[in-house]
Amino acid sequence: MPATEPDIDSRFRAELPSSVKIVLKDEVPVFSMESDVLRNGSFGASFLVLTGSRVIGFEEAVDPVIVSIPEIRNVFTDELFGGGRLMVEKENGEKVSLVHFSRNLISEFAAAARIIEDISEGHEVIFPELEGAAFSASGVPLEERGGRSPLDMPRWKILRRMAGYLAPYKLQIGALMVLTALSVLAQIWTPLLAKKIIDNILKQGEFANSPEPAGDQINKYVIYFGCAFVIIFLTRTSANLLKVWVGGRLIADFRAALHEQIQRLTMAYHNQKESGQLIGRVMSDTAELYQFLIEGAPYLFINLLMFVGIGAILVALHPTLALFVFLPVPFLLGGGGWFWKKLVPLFHKRGNRSNLLYSVLGESVRGVKAVKALGQENRRHKQFTKGNDSLFAVSYRVDGTFAKFFEVMALFMGVGTVSVWYFGGHSILDPNSGFTFGKLVAFVSYMAMFYGPLQWFTAVMNWSTHALTASERIFQVLDQKSEVYDRENAISLPKAKGDISFQNVRFSYNRGKEIIKGVSFDIHSGEMIGLVGKSGAGKSTIINLVCRFYDVDSGSIRIDGHDIRDIKLEDWRRNIGIVMQDPFLFSGTITDNIAYGNPDVNFEEVVRAARAAKAHEFILEKEEGYDTVVGEGGVDLSGGEKQRIAIARAILNDPPVLILDEATSAVDSETEKAIQEAIGNLVKGRTTIAIAHRLATLRNASRLIVIDNGKIIEEGSHETLLAKEDGYFAKLVKLQAENNRMHSARTAYSTDDV
């Protein structure tokens, strides 16, 4: 069977050995995959091959496992310690293991399971898009599949990308470089002035016969000294202000870009990442970069000029002594290169452990109520301490290595200093050398200026390593694939009618494990649909697909006859009002939260929406009324209050499509009754999809769609499904009624006992 996509991942086209081809004979594989684990658990090459009539698990020196397509009832992956195996359940109930694989190939073989299932059920073969590789090209394990190892990105590429962000500030950077160059020239000038004073004035040298008194000459050179220091002061101050502005502006740009990117990343990415990790990217990594931009980068530029200028002057003053000064430099630079390679992995390790600690700390702060309620303060503290100690251990290795390298470097520079004093002192004693005391003083001053930056070379390396590591982590986030907001020639949909059609939709969150398996149904404009099923059946996933938080793997969802992927994403989401099971409120006033989706609305409309959601009364009971400030997430409100504000927010947007995901789960029976009345008025004329924990609340739905294991098993009105005594929905209602009776009995018993 041909694939629906012309470009098929190479992992579906493994190079088969001749022994496998002998087993296949004349059969042409639909796909073939290579595994890395044998059935006995040891590492080795094995193969999975699917033809139009059978599926084969093959490894050398062992009989192949062959199952014919008509025999297959179910295909699934069975995860084991460190890996898994691909299993086939036959029509007679027998379960057969086809091939084993390591954890690195879970995604590939879960996708294979779905392809085999498509073949066995007679569906068109859809080759799913596989997750990226688990290892980089250099063999380094990746933090996330399909990502990029920091070690695989050359430093020059990181610097080039950073330069792109600096482009808008090229005038300021140019001025900064000019000011820095002037400052360096003024600093280099001062030792030459000292040489002139010592050799030509204090020792009555060249200017001994000058009509100008020696005192006046000294005054003139002192004025030169003063001018040099004024120039240094003015240029340094101006340059420092510029570098702080440019560095701060660049970091603000990075943080803004990161925040915008995080908002636009797919829900799949957010589900894989801890919030603390992303916060660390925005705040900690940019702080590391800022430190380098205002300290490290200018330091490198200044001292590059100093090295060149001072090096030339040292050679001019005394070439032989200059060689002794230069002698340690190759060892320092060579050692720095070796040092870089040694420390980069440690810096990444420290960054990862720092991010993990952020996540633990974030959980401790956000979940403090749950921690206290369960009496787990000590356990939580131990978990934080473990992560903290782990961060300390790797930080100690990094900083300890720096400390040792710094001392070795100081020893090399000490050798150069001793050599200069020894040979320079003897040169002064030799009257034929022409090397004066003034030259020695200038030489020693220049040597201090030359070695001074080298003494802090490790600090600059520290800054640059931190900065480039942090930059790479920042670029990893910026390079992530964001939501596809608009396809080419996307359709604008300012106001939808509300017709929704699922056509053979299949979807999996990750690893190819399907949550929705070939679902098809239609919702007509103005119709209220209730989704029913046990936890994990796929109800919330259907809502996620309708909201286009995720795109389908295959099949399509059509809105008013258009594929949902062809509609501008922002247009479509403005057509939806959503009340989730756990509504999120933002830090701000109640008015701000109700009007969050439409901030330009007037206050009267906010009140009207609150009344419709039965929230107006409790809002007025607050001391500040609608101006009451709620904490982040609505921590200052009860669950029922948060739920009603979220309902008011949805009502205010006046959407043609309404999503109610357990919208009354957090309210008591009395409040639920009031909200149900409001919802009854709200849903008129709107397409509504509702999930409710209490099945009785869905009796007013036009139709109920019953879902189990990702498939629709029943569909009809509340009364029709309830009338089927052996039906799935009827059993759920009876079970829930029995649970309610038991709960009521326990409550009555407890009351009587009191």
Side-chain angles (χ1 to χ4, degrees):
M1 296 184 184
T4 59
E5 299 177 353
D7 297 325
I8 300 174
D9 194 297
S10 60
R11 284 171 283 182
F12 290 125
R13 291 286 183 262
E15 184 65 33
L16 299 175
S18 57
S19 52
V20 177
K21 295 177 181 178
I22 293 173
V23 175
L24 290 177
K25 297 180 180 178
D26 296 329
E27 291 184 275
V28 178
V30 174
F31 82 90
S32 54
M33 301 183 74
E34 182 177 354
S35 181
D36 54 356
V37 175
L38 304 178
R39 273 173 251 161
N40 61 12
S42 61
F43 285 102
S46 58
F47 296 88
L48 175 70
V49 182
L50 173 68
T51 70
S53 61
R54 55 182 182 161
V55 58
I56 304 169
F58 183 91
E59 59 185 64
E60 295 286 354
V62 178
D63 291 337
V65 178
I66 302 174
V67 179
S68 65
I69 298 298
E71 291 183 280
I72 297 175
R73 176 194 294 175
N74 188 24
V75 188
F76 59 95
T77 57
D78 183 19
E79 293 196 27
L80 307 172
F81 180 76
R85 55 183 177 175
L86 184 64
M87 303 289 293
V88 169
E89 182 181 2
K90 295 184 178 181
E91 289 293 341
N92 60 8
E94 180 187 0
K95 295 181 179 179
V96 178
S97 173
L98 289 171
V99 65
H100 285 231
F101 47 85
S102 71
R103 181 164 296 278
N104 297 324
L105 296 176
I106 287 177
S107 173
E108 285 79 352
F109 281 92
R114 196 166 79 196
I115 297 172
I116 297 172
E117 186 178 35
D118 281 340
I119 289 281
S120 65
E121 294 180 358
H123 296 151
E124 184 181 18
V125 179
I126 302 294
F127 285 87
E129 184 178 345
L130 294 176
E131 296 180 39
F135 291 88
S136 72
S138 58
V140 177
L142 296 173
E143 182 180 354
E144 57 197 35
R145 291 182 67 109
R148 185 180 60 242
S149 168
L151 299 180
D152 288 341
M153 177 174 272
R155 280 172 281 173
W156 65 269
K157 285 189 176 180
I158 299 175
L159 293 172
R160 188 175 65 182
R161 290 195 65 177
M162 288 177 61
Y165 282 87
L166 286 168
Y169 312 112
K170 56 187 177 183
L171 292 178
Q172 291 87 341
I173 293 172
L176 176 60
M177 295 175 70
V178 170
L179 289 169
T180 300
L182 290 174
S183 174
V184 169
L185 288 174
Q187 291 177 70
I188 292 177
W189 189 31
T190 54
L192 291 177
L193 293 175
K195 171 187 174 298
K196 285 286 188 181
I197 292 174
I198 292 172
D199 285 347
N200 301 330
I201 300 175
L202 296 182
K203 296 186 71 174
Q204 295 297 306
E206 180 181 342
F207 300 110
N209 300 319
S210 174
E212 186 178 3
D216 291 344
Q217 294 181 55
I218 291 176
N219 292 340
K220 180 176 65 175
Y221 279 95
V222 168
I223 291 173
Y224 292 160
F225 262 115
C227 290
F229 285 116
V230 168
I231 293 172
I232 292 171
F233 168 76
L234 293 176
T235 54
R236 277 189 175 180
T237 302
S238 301
N240 285 338
L241 291 175
L242 264 178
K243 75 180 182 182
V244 169
W245 187 90
V246 171
R249 187 64 263 166
L250 179 65
I251 296 309
D253 292 347
F254 265 127
R255 285 177 176 160
L258 280 169
H259 183 267
E260 181 181 20
Q261 173 73 342
I262 288 171
Q263 296 296 305
R264 295 180 180 276
L265 287 173
T266 64
M267 289 301 300
Y269 181 83
H270 282 285
N271 289 338
Q272 295 170 0
K273 292 292 182 182
E274 295 282 349
S275 59
Q277 287 181 303
L278 295 177
I279 292 171
R281 297 288 188 270
V282 177
M283 302 306 296
S284 296
D285 288 341
T286 53
E288 293 277 10
L289 183 56
Y290 177 73
Q291 181 71 16
F292 175 69
L293 290 174
I294 66 169
E295 298 290 346
Y299 193 89
L300 287 172
F301 178 68
I302 290 171
N303 289 294
L304 178 62
L305 296 178
M306 296 280 278
F307 287 148
V308 174
I310 293 175
I313 293 174
L314 289 175
V315 171
L317 288 174
H318 199 299
T320 304
L321 287 183
L323 290 177
F324 287 111
V325 175
F326 299 155
L327 185 62
V329 173
F331 296 97
L332 298 175
L333 296 179
W338 169 84
F339 202 53
W340 173 278
K341 293 180 181 179
K342 182 178 178 63
L343 283 184
V344 164
L346 290 178
F347 276 119
H348 282 289
K349 185 179 291 186
R350 180 160 69 176
N352 290 336
R353 293 187 183 181
S354 177
N355 286 333
L356 289 175
L357 198 62
Y358 262 98
S359 298
V360 173
L361 179 59
E363 277 191 345
S364 295
V365 173
R366 293 190 302 272
V368 65
K369 188 175 182 180
V371 172
K372 287 181 176 292
L374 297 171
Q376 295 298 309
E377 292 92 338
N378 290 336
R379 178 183 173 189
R380 192 70 196 172
H381 179 64
K382 288 179 180 177
Q383 185 176 357
F384 180 85
T385 301
K386 181 180 178 181
N388 197 27
D389 290 343
S390 178
L391 177 59
F392 162 76
V394 70
S395 297
Y396 176 76
R397 286 180 62 189
V398 172
D399 296 333
T401 305
F402 263 110
K404 288 184 286 187
F405 186 75
F406 181 85
E407 296 304 325
V408 172
M409 184 183 62
L411 177 62
F412 275 110
M413 290 188 293
V415 171
T417 303
V418 170
S419 300
V420 166
W421 276 107
Y422 176 79
F423 291 104
H426 282 280
S427 294
I428 292 175
L429 297 177
D430 182 3
N432 299 320
S433 67
F435 191 68
T436 64
F437 181 68
K439 287 185 178 181
L440 179 61
V441 170
F443 200 96
V444 171
S445 298
Y446 281 124
M447 183 175 62
M449 295 171 68
F450 188 80
Y451 276 160
L454 284 178
Q455 289 179 329
W456 295 102
F457 184 66
T458 52
V460 178
M461 285 179 57
N462 193 353
W463 287 330
S464 62
T465 304
H466 274 294
L468 294 177
T469 303
S471 300
E472 210 286 333
R473 289 198 297 264
I474 289 171
F475 291 136
Q476 278 186 336
V477 176
L478 294 176
D479 290 342
Q480 288 297 321
K481 183 179 179 181
S482 61
E483 283 187 295
V484 181
Y485 275 71
D486 298 325
R487 280 182 173 180
E488 189 176 355
N489 301 321
I491 300 169
S492 180
L493 192 69
K495 195 72 172 180
K497 291 188 296 183
D499 289 326
I500 301 175
S501 177
F502 273 59
Q503 299 179 355
N504 194 27
V505 170
R506 306 174 79 88
F507 174 75
S508 56
Y509 285 107
N510 50 46
R511 294 181 170 178
K513 293 185 177 179
E514 281 192 325
I515 305 298
I516 303 299
K517 305 175 181 179
V519 166
S520 298
F521 63 86
D522 294 322
I523 306 175
H524 303 295
S525 177
E527 190 176 18
M528 180 178 179
I529 295 296
L531 298 179
V532 179
K534 61 185 180 181
S535 178
K539 306 185 299 297
S540 294
T541 300
I542 287 178
I543 285 179
N544 286 337
L545 293 174
V546 170
C547 297
R548 209 185 155 200
F549 294 145
Y550 301 87
D551 281 331
V552 301
D553 292 345
S554 63
S556 66
I557 300 173
R558 305 191 73 80
I559 308 297
D560 297 345
H562 305 292
D563 191 311
I564 193 172
R565 292 165 292 190
D566 292 331
I567 300 172
K568 291 183 177 180
L569 185 58
E570 291 185 357
D571 279 2
W572 171 234
R573 287 182 180 165
R574 278 196 290 266
N575 280 281
I576 304 174
I578 309 174
V579 182
M580 292 297 187
Q581 182 176 0
D582 183 20
F584 185 88
L585 301 186
F586 297 88
S587 182
T589 66
I590 290 176
T591 299
D592 293 338
N593 273 282
I594 294 176
Y596 191 81
N598 193 359
D600 298 326
V601 76
N602 60 53
F603 181 69
E604 289 73 18
E605 292 180 85
V606 172
V607 174
R608 192 179 302 115
R611 287 182 184 276
K614 303 300 180 181
H616 181 69
E617 290 73 15
F618 87 76
I619 293 175
L620 292 183
E621 292 174 0
K622 304 288 184 183
E623 186 175 347
E624 301 294 332
Y626 281 84
D627 291 329
T628 300
V629 177
V630 300
E632 181 184 348
V635 294
D636 297 331
L637 300 177
S638 69
E641 290 172 342
K642 288 194 295 183
Q643 201 75 288
R644 280 177 278 178
I645 288 177
I647 292 173
R649 184 161 61 194
I651 292 172
L652 185 62
N653 288 336
D654 190 27
V657 177
L658 189 64
I659 305 291
L660 304 173
D661 187 358
E662 302 281 9
T664 59
S665 63
V667 299
D668 54 45
S669 299
E670 183 179 350
T671 305
E672 181 185 9
K673 182 179 179 182
I675 292 178
Q676 286 295 342
E677 292 175 2
I679 289 177
N681 295 325
L682 173 65
V683 300
K684 291 179 180 178
R686 305 180 199 275
T687 302
T688 305
I689 303 176
I691 299 174
H693 175 68
R694 291 186 279 270
L695 299 178
T697 62
L698 295 175
R699 60 167 47 94
N700 294 325
S702 306
R703 278 183 297 135
L704 300 182
I705 296 176
V706 184
I707 302 170
D708 184 47
N709 194 27
K711 297 181 179 180
I712 296 176
I713 57 173
E714 290 181 348
E715 187 174 353
S717 67
H718 188 280
E719 293 74 15
T720 302
L721 296 181
L722 196 59
K724 297 180 181 179
E725 295 186 2
D726 295 331
Y728 189 88
F729 177 75
K731 290 180 181 179
L732 284 179
V733 172
K734 289 178 183 177
L735 180 62
Q736 193 169 91
E738 184 178 344
N739 288 337
N740 290 337
R741 283 195 299 271
M742 293 177 62
H743 176 73
S744 299
R746 285 196 300 270
T747 304
Y749 176 79
S750 176
T751 304
D752 293 341
D753 186 54
V754 173

